[in-house]
């Protein structure tokens, strides 16, 4: 009797694993260029911007399912284990979300990650720090080298994501990312739905918001968290609000703040953005 129940339990486990595999195959089929074949070749994916086909056998499909539970940094780490893990970890299905929080990173790493981002829908870059300096240089030289240091890599990531990107967070990345990133977002991310930007050193300017509005006309949530520095807070003013009112007619939620904002600017927002439901002034 005990053996019978153990056999049944094992059969149920096999059935569950088969169901997982079937579901995974369906998700793989949704990717452009996917062809489901024999048991030896489960899927062949050819993303638009990729130069290499990703071919998965049945064993690698199981790895693909497991890797879906790993974070973005962990996916980078497993690439060092072996060739099979490296191949599977580059699958576009694993990179629908790119989340990098509180870690040192260089523009070279971001540039390398960009090749995985052809299907990325969500990006969160928060609390990123510069990689340790490899040369002997004084503090001022080091700071000047780090200013906007991640933007070349971010440029490549956003260009790969393109219109697929829906949600983007860039927060507290010190000197590494400036308000120029809003220009890049406006160029590449035309279908962006939600944006949160927070920088104590480089708040949004009227020019950068104007550029963002020219490209991201579908934006529904915009959160521009003000700087903690009172002097820098003055840079966000009513001109910024005018560009927001003119450029984002579909906004439903807006977060802003700054010592130079006047009541007239807030009234302009409230009357111009007809779909606005939530206006937070912090």
């Amino acid at each position: 009797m005990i053996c019978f129940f153990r056999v049944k339990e094992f059969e149920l486990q096999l059935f569950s694993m088969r169901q997982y595999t079937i579901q995974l195959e369906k998700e793989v089929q949704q990717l452009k260029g996917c062809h489901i074949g024999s048991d030896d070749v489960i899927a062949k994916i050819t993303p638009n911007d990729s130069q290499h086909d990703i071919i998965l056998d049945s064993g690698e499909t199981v790895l693909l399912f497991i890797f879906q539970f790993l974070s973005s940094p962990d996916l980078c780490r497993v690439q060092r284990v072996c060739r099979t893990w490296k191949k599977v970890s580059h699958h576009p299905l694993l990179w629908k979300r790119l989340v990098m929080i509180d870690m040192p990173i260089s523009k070279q790493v971001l540039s390398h990650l960009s090749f995985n981002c052809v299907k990325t829908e969500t990006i969160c870059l928060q609390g990123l720090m510069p990689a340790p300096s490899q040369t002997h240089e004084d503090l001022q030289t080091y700071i000047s080298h780090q200013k906007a240091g991640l933007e070349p890599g971010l440029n490549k990531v956003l260009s790969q994501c393109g219109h697929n990107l829906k949600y983007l967070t860039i927060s507290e990345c010190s000197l590494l990312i400036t308000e120029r990133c809003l220009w890049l977002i406006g160029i590449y991310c035309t279908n962006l739905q939600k944006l949160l930007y927070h920088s104590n050193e480089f708040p949004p300017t009227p020019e950068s918001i104007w550029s963002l509005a020219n490209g991201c006309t579908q934006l529904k949530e915009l959160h521009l968290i003000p700087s903690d520095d009172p002097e820098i807070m003055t840079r966000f003013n009513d001109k910024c609000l005018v560009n927001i009112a003119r450029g984002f007619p579909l906004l439903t939620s807006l977060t802003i703040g700054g010592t130079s904002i006047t009541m007239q600017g807030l009234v302009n927002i409230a009357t111009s953005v007809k779909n606005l439901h939530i206006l937070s002034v912090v």
Side-chain angles (χ1 to χ4, degrees):
M1 183 67 68
I2 295 177
C3 292
F4 172 77
F5 282 115
R6 287 183 175 177
V7 169
K8 285 297 183 182
E9 182 180 354
F10 181 68
E11 289 179 350
L12 286 174
Q13 291 176 351
L14 288 178
F15 176 77
S16 299
M17 194 62 194
R18 180 56 183 165
Q19 292 298 109
Y20 287 145
T21 304
I22 292 174
Q23 179 62 30
L24 191 58
E25 290 176 3
K26 290 180 180 179
E27 293 182 5
V28 169
Q29 279 181 313
Q30 294 175 0
L31 294 174
K32 187 173 182 179
C34 176
H35 306 287
I36 298 301
S38 63
D39 292 336
D40 295 329
V41 180
I42 297 297
K44 180 178 181 181
I45 298 100
T46 55
N48 291 335
D49 300 318
S50 177
Q51 297 178 351
H52 304 284
D53 295 345
I54 301 177
I55 302 175
L56 303 180
D57 59 29
S58 55
E60 292 168 342
T61 304
V62 176
L63 272 180
L64 180 61
F65 171 75
I66 296 172
F67 283 2
Q68 288 185 95
F69 298 96
L70 297 181
S71 65
S72 301
D74 287 338
L75 284 174
C76 296
R77 294 185 184 102
V78 300
Q79 295 177 11
R80 305 176 183 178
V81 175
C82 63
R83 292 181 180 179
T84 300
W85 285 34
K86 182 177 182 179
K87 181 178 74 171
V88 176
S89 67
H90 283 297
H91 198 294
L93 192 62
L94 301 174
W95 294 94
K96 287 188 174 182
R97 298 179 72 252
L98 173 61
V99 180
M100 313 293 280
I101 299 177
D102 296 333
M103 58 180 296
I105 192 171
S106 66
K107 62 181 178 181
Q108 290 82 3
V109 172
L110 269 186
S111 298
H112 176 73
L113 290 176
S114 67
F115 296 104
N116 302 322
C117 295
V118 292
K119 298 293 180 181
T120 301
E121 298 177 354
T122 301
I123 293 179
C124 177
L125 305 177
Q126 180 175 333
L128 299 184
M129 299 167 283
S133 176
Q134 302 297 326
T135 60
H136 299 287
E137 54 188 6
D138 59 75
L139 180 60
Q140 288 300 116
T141 304
Y142 176 71
I143 292 176
S144 64
H145 287 169
Q146 294 302 328
K147 183 178 179 181
L150 284 185
E151 288 180 2
L154 180 62
N155 184 22
K156 291 186 177 181
V157 169
L158 295 179
S159 65
Q160 285 282 52
C161 297
H163 64 275
N164 291 314
L165 191 63
K166 300 293 191 301
Y167 311 101
L168 176 60
T169 296
I170 299 177
S171 177
E172 299 177 355
C173 293
S174 185
L175 300 173
L176 297 176
I177 299 178
T178 70
E179 80 281 359
R180 182 178 176 271
C181 71
L182 301 179
W183 296 74
L184 300 176
I185 296 167
I187 293 172
Y188 298 117
C189 309
T190 55
N191 287 335
L192 195 66
Q193 302 290 311
K194 179 179 179 180
L195 171 64
L196 186 150
Y197 176 75
H198 178 205
S199 173
N200 284 325
E201 292 80 12
F202 304 101
T205 62
E207 294 78 14
S208 61
I209 293 177
W210 177 85
S211 178
L212 178 69
N214 277 343
C216 301
T217 57
Q218 304 300 314
L219 201 64
K220 295 182 179 179
E221 292 188 37
L222 178 61
H223 305 285
L224 303 175
I225 311 301
S227 170
D228 297 330
D229 189 328
E231 293 185 5
I232 295 180
M233 285 180 66
T234 60
R235 301 179 189 176
F236 191 89
N237 51 38
D238 283 355
K239 291 183 179 179
C240 297
L241 299 185
V242 169
N243 287 341
I244 291 175
R246 292 176 178 175
F248 304 105
L250 302 181
L251 273 185
T252 60
S253 179
L254 175 63
T255 302
I256 52 177
T259 56
S260 297
I261 294 177
T262 67
M263 184 59 67
Q264 182 60 40
L266 295 176
V267 170
N268 185 33
I269 286 285
T271 55
S272 300
V273 187
K274 303 298 183 181
N275 295 322
L276 191 64
H277 296 157
I278 301 174
L279 174 59
S280 301
V281 182
V282 294

